[in-house]
Amino acid sequence: MFTYVTSPLNVPTIIEKDQGIFAKNFGEMGIETEYAELTSGADQTQALASGDVQVLYAVGATSVILSAANGADIKVLNMYSRSPKAFCMYSKDESLTTPESLKGKTIAGPTGTNLHELLVSYLAQADMTLDDVNYVNMSIPDAKAGLDGGSVDVALLAGATAYNAKQQGYHLVADGDGLISALIAVATTQKFYDEHPDVIEKLNVAQDEIASYMADNQDAAMETVAAALDLDVDAVKEMYGFYDFSTEITDADKEGFQKTADFMYESGMIENELDVNTLFIQ
């Protein structure tokens, strides 16, 4: 069973299901493909640990690190995406152009996420911390609603919500470019990897097929994604440019994982420092 997460712009996931790529490849092995629509990272890693799900197809680096830090058997098979520019801080106040200008401001967004890391990294450029602002833990839709209504000075937004803020003419304070890696991975357990090498090999073949379809049928892919997410095709095309869907694990990816792990340790989200080399299949 695979997790099925389409937001904020998980193009490979949408294309895979639309084209029946897993169903075809695993059907050849006599395996029925099932999906679990789990959007929370905590729910995803819990399902993997319990054995209800065998592959997390699009799980955030923060969720992988937290699960591993808590002693779970979780390993990164390959990468799903990187999209630092898709994670943004928006405001109605155009004077907010530096970390210092955020001092004392009310900033809303989800804790333990790429957006949380973006805010911390942005403030750190001026030797500031979350103690220098009024940070409120809030979902992306609620943060956007707070910004619309005026109860929030800065909203931490991603995906279509960030695109909508831009379309409304809101002021971009910063995006994640140069501040975070915004890593999403494909993960399984070491146990499943060791016991089912044939399934892992077939998964690699299927992922290559997904990538080929996306490259060879870009217009059709954009239309499929737009329909799945109820977005305008032009919006999908603009956001698609922010994403790198290469599955190869690079040194930069490992550095990004380490930076995120260090951020989580310093933020008190994990108790001990973590060497992220332990997260990858040995």
Side-chain angles (χ1 to χ4, degrees), residues 205-218:
V205 169
Q207 284 190 268
D208 286 344
E209 193 172 323
I210 294 164
S212 295
Y213 180 90
M214 286 166 58
D216 297 341
N217 305 275
Q218 193 157 341

Side-chain angles (χ1 to χ4, degrees), residues 68-165:
N70 288 331
D73 176 7
I74 185 168
K75 299 290 180 182
V76 173
L77 266 179
N78 51 44
M79 297 305 297
Y80 185 93
S81 69
R82 311 142 194 84
S83 55
K85 285 184 73 67
F87 294 86
C88 307
M89 300 163 58
Y90 273 98
S91 177
K92 289 181 178 178
D93 185 348
E94 296 192 359
S95 72
L96 303 182
T97 56
T98 64
E100 291 89 347
S101 67
L102 298 185
K103 191 170 182 66
K105 299 296 183 184
T106 297
I107 304 174
T111 299
T113 62
N114 284 315
L115 287 167
H116 183 191
E117 185 181 357
L118 166 59
L119 175 59
V120 170
S121 299
Y122 185 68
L123 294 173
Q125 292 182 121
D127 294 324
M128 294 168 64
T129 69
L130 290 180
D131 292 336
D132 294 304
V133 301
N134 176 29
Y135 175 57
V136 184
N137 179 22
M138 207 177 274
S139 71
I140 290 175
D142 287 347
K144 175 64 163 55
L147 182 61
D148 290 337
S151 61
V152 166
D153 296 307
V154 178
L156 305 177
L157 307 176
T161 313
Y163 177 83
N164 290 337

